[in-house]
Amino acid sequence: MIMNYPNGKKFIKQEQKINLSIYSKDRGIYSNRGMTLEEDLNETNEYYREKNIAVIHKKPTPIQIVHVDYPKRSAAVIKEAYFKLASTTDYNGVYKGRYIDFEAKETKNSTSFPLKNFHEHQISHMEQVLKHGGICFVIFRFSIYDEIYLLEAKHLLSYWDRMKNGGRKSITKEEIKQNGYFIPLGYQPRIDYIKIIDKFIG
């Protein structure tokens, strides 16, 4: 199947080598090397659902289908499609009767996170979620250090406003550490962000 980005360029799938996650019982250490933030969060959410803790899912990527073949009456094969611009954030669901909505971002930058990696419509969406009483945040991974932080959307929005008013175009890692929450990597669940949510929803 041919996939195209919104600018018309073709999407070429590259094979990725992913190391298996290892949990060493004798050392009590979980090795997470090679796993992407999305994969870790998907496994975390699966764990939450299996344990009946929360129901959180990754939102599907919107796709515009252009060409479909029907080799059989009962089967359709998509031959060409385009990725649409993501409309909101990466994940949403329910926890303790509260709506949860969050974005996941990964960076190789060691000292800051560029705000250009967010889109205006995502910021507007987060503002609306907060306005209606939802729980909204961003999970950042600094891949060089393999460190993960949760930052509430209210702080992200203030940094966004700072940029709009002529301030710096990134959030420093120190600001994320100061106003956010460090999430240690675990085994089951891998990224236990629900434990962090409990800290700020009371």
Side-chain angles (χ1 to χ4, degrees), residues 67-134:
H67 180 67
V68 181
D69 274 356
Y70 296 91
K72 296 179 181 178
R73 278 186 149 184
S74 59
V77 178
I78 298 172
K79 290 293 186 179
E80 187 174 0
Y82 290 85
F83 285 115
K84 289 183 178 179
L85 187 64
S87 58
T88 54
T89 47
D90 290 329
Y91 295 88
N92 69 346
V94 181
Y95 173 60
K96 289 185 176 178
R98 298 281 301 276
Y99 175 74
I100 288 180
D101 195 295
F102 69 95
E103 181 73 7
K105 297 288 188 184
E106 203 159 1
T107 183
K108 292 180 180 178
N109 195 314
S110 61
T111 58
S112 64
F113 188 88
L115 285 164
K116 66 180 181 181
N117 290 319
F118 291 96
H119 300 286
E120 193 83 49
H121 62 268
Q122 290 179 315
I123 298 298
S124 298
H125 173 74
M126 291 181 188
E127 287 177 332
Q128 291 174 338
V129 170
L130 291 180
K131 189 180 294 184
H132 287 275

Side-chain angles (χ1 to χ4, degrees), residues 30 32 36-45 48 139 141 148-149 183-195:
Y30 168 66
N32 193 51
T36 67
L37 178 57
E38 180 180 318
E39 288 169 327
D40 281 339
L41 285 171
N42 290 345
E43 290 204 15
T44 296
N45 291 335
Y48 289 154
I139 291 180
R141 171 178 270 161
I148 298 171
Y149 296 89
I183 308 177
L185 287 171
Y187 175 51
Q188 285 189 326
R190 297 189 177 199
I191 301 174
D192 195 3
Y193 63 87
I194 289 292
K195 188 180 291 184

